[in-house]
């Protein structure tokens, strides 16, 4: 079991950058697959990025297009999402997630733990 707490969301302008953080506790952070999802108003929750903190390679949704970077500070049990060149269509609640598999990228039901979410709003 992992408990997840996101922070770092806010209101920014088109083209700005933002860094989201996810602090994890409970089950061993490095033994899980960690990721980020987002949900815009009126839309389904969608996958953004995933990473196994120890020994894994980042995996991104197609829409990221090099703008976002997922990383971890394993000594702090913290996951990050660095978001650059933000666009209004990136506006959403961003959720940290934990799973046993990278398969959560295409099967959201494989997510085992969710954070509470942090709001990102990008104005034009």
């Amino acid at each position: 079991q992992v408990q997840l707490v996101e922070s770092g969301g806010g209101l920014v302008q088109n083209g700005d950058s933002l860094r989201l953080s996810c602090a994890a506790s409970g089950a061993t952070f490095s033994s899980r697959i960690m990721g980020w999802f987002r949900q815009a108003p009126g839309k389904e929750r969608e996958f953004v990025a995933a990473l196994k903190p120890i020994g894994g390679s980042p995996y991104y949704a197609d829409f990221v297009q090099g703008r976002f970077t997922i990383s971890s500070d394993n000594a702090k049990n913290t996951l990050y999402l660095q978001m650059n060149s933000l666009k209004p269509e990136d506006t959403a609640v961003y959720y940290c997630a934990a799973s046993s598999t990278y398969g959560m990228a295409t099967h959201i039901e494989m997510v085992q733990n969710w954070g509470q979410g942090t709001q990102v709003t990008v104005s034009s």
Side-chain angles (χ1 to χ4, degrees), residues 38-67:
R38 69 184 189 183
Q39 188 165 19
K43 295 187 177 180
E44 297 293 317
R45 194 168 297 188
E46 66 177 343
F47 171 77
V48 177
L51 175 70
K52 185 176 182 180
I54 297 294
S57 298
Y59 181 75
Y60 299 98
D62 289 342
F63 72 78
V64 168
Q65 299 173 13
R67 297 182 299 124

Side-chain angles (χ1 to χ4, degrees), residues 94-107:
Y94 283 71
Y95 297 91
C96 186
S99 180
S100 62
T101 173
Y102 279 96
M104 66 175 163
T106 54
H107 296 82

Side-chain angles (χ1 to χ4, degrees), residues 9-89:
L11 174 63
V12 298
Q13 295 187 96
N14 186 31
D16 283 354
S17 296
L18 208 55
R19 191 187 205 195
L20 306 183
S21 298
C22 170
S25 62
T28 304
F29 174 72
S30 60
S31 71
R32 308 294 299 281
I33 309 301
M34 305 297 299
W36 292 95
F37 288 73
R38 69 184 189 183
Q39 188 165 19
K43 295 187 177 180
E44 297 293 317
R45 194 168 297 188
E46 66 177 343
F47 171 77
V48 177
L51 175 70
K52 185 176 182 180
I54 297 294
S57 298
Y59 181 75
Y60 299 98
D62 289 342
F63 72 78
V64 168
Q65 299 173 13
R67 297 182 299 124
F68 298 175
T69 302
I70 187 171
S71 63
S72 64
D73 184 334
N74 297 335
K76 296 181 178 179
N77 285 349
T78 300
L79 185 75
Y80 301 101
L81 185 68
Q82 177 67 47
M83 303 187 292
N84 300 323
S85 301
L86 283 163
K87 308 172 182 178
E89 52 262 45

